[in-house]
């Protein structure tokens, strides 16, 4: 009877519904539940080892922050999108969000040490020059090199182990600087030792690879912001991606208001001063500066955004590379630069080297045309002399003091400059 009623009802039903009811044995209750709602699946990043560069480890930077990526505690976006899609892998840097509690988020910069094109080109060079093949296991190829075999046997990182690497930081190395690298290398558990006993073979290859490609993350680790150094905080690495605190590049402020421009110029001078004179007796110098070298945090504080072009001279110990050691070249010397590129002599770096670069490349874009004629004329005259090398016999501090005296009265004290507000209201320093 029930089956007859069901089929009778189906005669007046929509033809499609009729087919559905018949297929279900004319059971109306079954028909009502035939299309259950699909459970909502939380969107998720489809991370591949290739995007992160994990497929190239241990010819990579590290893995200390990989869990954050896979737990979606690092997201690629300037806002917390529900459509979690990975950006193009061809980009050199990305803006991301980072959280420790899944509630509060902060901006971070996610960067590659070099472009994916350059990485791929370097990987191909390793295979073709070392194994004579188009593709290979990068780790196996690099482990067979004479340099890495010396690293495996070494108890301590010494100048001969880094000779010929293209990083400006290592062109004039001292034993004191190399000990600091080993002691503060953040991709391994902190051992607080200058000896490499706590580094596995994998750790040594990652450290060597990072130093060979781009020393930026190493500088962030060994000179941390919490100790007052003008670098963004290093948060970790995953494959060939580095995560650090977010800054806006200085280029974004070239059109800023006069008081903002004056404040940033004064901070630039302060950074150069600290790089030349500091408690650890290291002299930092730039081999190149551009509009992305410096960055500004949301509180207005200026930092060195890209440390890859920083060289270091140890004023306490001096360089411990002698003779032709600096000219030594191998595959690690050529990963990101032309092997024929000449090294800059440590002796050729003068006290005013970085200031002259900044006067040539950055300060004119920041300060030109911003102020009333009498002040602007003084600024322009200084920048012209500075760009030519300041050939007046004065030292670095005296030269910077001249520009600082012009700029100090031009900055303001308000909440836009959170890094020094409200302190500036109560201190003669500002």
């Amino acid at each position: 009877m029930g089956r007859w009623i069901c089929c009778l009802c189906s005669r007046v039903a929509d033809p499609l519904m009729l087919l559905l009811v018949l297929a279900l044995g004319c059971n109306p209750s079954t028909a009502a539940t035939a299309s259950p709602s699909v459970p909502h699946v939380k969107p998720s990043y489809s991370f591949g080892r290739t995007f992160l560069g994990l497929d190239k480890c241990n010819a990579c930077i590290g893995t200390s922050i990989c869990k954050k990526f896979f737990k979606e505690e690092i997201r690629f976006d300037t806002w917390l999108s529900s459509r979690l899609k990975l950006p193009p892998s061809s980009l050199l840097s990305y803006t991301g969000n980072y959280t420790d509690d899944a509630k509060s988020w902060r901006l971070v910069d996610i960067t590659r040490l070099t472009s994916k094109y350059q990485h791929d080109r370097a990987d191909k060079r390793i295979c073709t020059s070392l194994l004579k093949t188009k593709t290979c296991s990068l780790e196996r190829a690099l482990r067979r090199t004479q340099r890495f075999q010396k690293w495996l046997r070494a108890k301590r990182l010494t100048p001969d182990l880094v000779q010929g690497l293209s990083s400006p930081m290592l062109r004039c190395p001292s034993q004191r600087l190399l000990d600091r690298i080993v002691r503060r290398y953040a991709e391994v558990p902190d051992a607080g030792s200058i000896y490499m006993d706590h580094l596995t073979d994998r750790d040594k290859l990652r450290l060597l690879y990072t130093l060979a490609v781009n020393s930026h993350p190493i500088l962030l680790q060994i000179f941390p912001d919490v100790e007052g150094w003008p670098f963004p905080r290093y948060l970790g690495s995953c494959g060939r991606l580095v995560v650090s605190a977010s800054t806006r590049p200085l280029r974004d402020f070239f059109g800023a208001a006069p008081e903002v421009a004056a404040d940033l110029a004064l901070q630039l001078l302060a950074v150069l001063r600290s790089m030349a004179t500091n408690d650890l007796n290291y002299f930092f110098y730039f081999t190149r500066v551009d509009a992305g070298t410096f960055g500004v945090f949301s509180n207005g504080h200026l930092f060195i955004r890209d440390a890859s072009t920083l060289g270091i001279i140890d004023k306490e110990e001096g360089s411990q590379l002698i003779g032709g050691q600096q000219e030594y070249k191998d595959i690690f010397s050529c990963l990101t630069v032309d092997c024929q590129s000449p090294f800059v002599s440590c002796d050729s770096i003068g006290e005013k080297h970085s200031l002259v670069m900044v006067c040539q490349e950055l300060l004119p874009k920041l300060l030109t045309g911003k102020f009333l004629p009498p002040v602007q004329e003084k600024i322009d005259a200084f920048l012209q002399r500075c760009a030519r090398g300041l050939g007046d016999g004065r030292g670095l501090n005296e030269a910077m003091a001249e520009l600082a005296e012009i700029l100090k009265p031009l900055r303001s004290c308000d909440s836009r400059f959170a890094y020094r507000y409200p302190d500036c209201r109560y201190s003669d320093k500002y």
Side-chain angles (χ1 to χ4, degrees), residues 12 26 112 123 125 128 194 208 237 372 379 397 408:
V12 295
C26 286
R112 301 183 188 277
D123 294 343
R125 186 182 295 129
T128 55
I194 62 174
L208 173 56
S237 299
L372 295 176
I379 293 174
N397 290 332
K408 281 180 180 178

Side-chain angles (χ1 to χ4, degrees), residues 319-330:
S319 171
Q320 294 183 17
L321 282 184
I322 57 175
Q325 283 186 318
Q326 198 179 52
E327 300 303 323
Y328 174 86
K329 299 283 180 67
D330 68 353

Side-chain angles (χ1 to χ4, degrees), residues 12 50 98 136-137 141-142 161 177 183 188 201 263 272 291 345 348 364 380 391 393 426:
V12 295
T50 302
Y98 175 103
C136 68
S137 165
L142 294 176
L161 296 178
L177 176 63
R183 197 171 62 247
V188 298
D201 294 358
D263 183 82
L272 295 181
S345 169
S348 67
D380 294 343
Y426 311 105

Side-chain angles (χ1 to χ4, degrees), residues 142-205:
L142 294 176
R143 285 177 68 91
R144 293 170 58 177
T145 61
Q146 181 181 1
R147 185 192 293 266
F148 187 65
Q149 288 300 312
K150 289 177 66 176
W151 273 63
L152 289 179
R153 297 190 296 268
K155 293 291 185 181
R156 193 175 183 182
L157 186 59
T158 51
D160 63 296
L161 296 178
V162 299
Q163 62 178 299
L165 296 184
S166 62
S167 167
M169 182 181 75
L170 300 172
R171 290 181 186 172
C172 317
S174 69
Q175 188 60 58
R176 188 169 69 113
L177 176 63
L178 298 179
D179 287 344
R180 190 176 182 88
I181 291 174
V182 173
R183 197 171 62 247
R184 294 185 168 221
Y185 182 42
E187 287 298 309
V188 298
D190 181 17
S193 172
I194 62 174
Y195 297 101
M196 295 198 290
D197 297 336
H198 62 294
L199 300 184
T200 64
D201 294 358
R202 174 201 65 193
D203 298 328
K204 289 182 178 180
L205 181 56

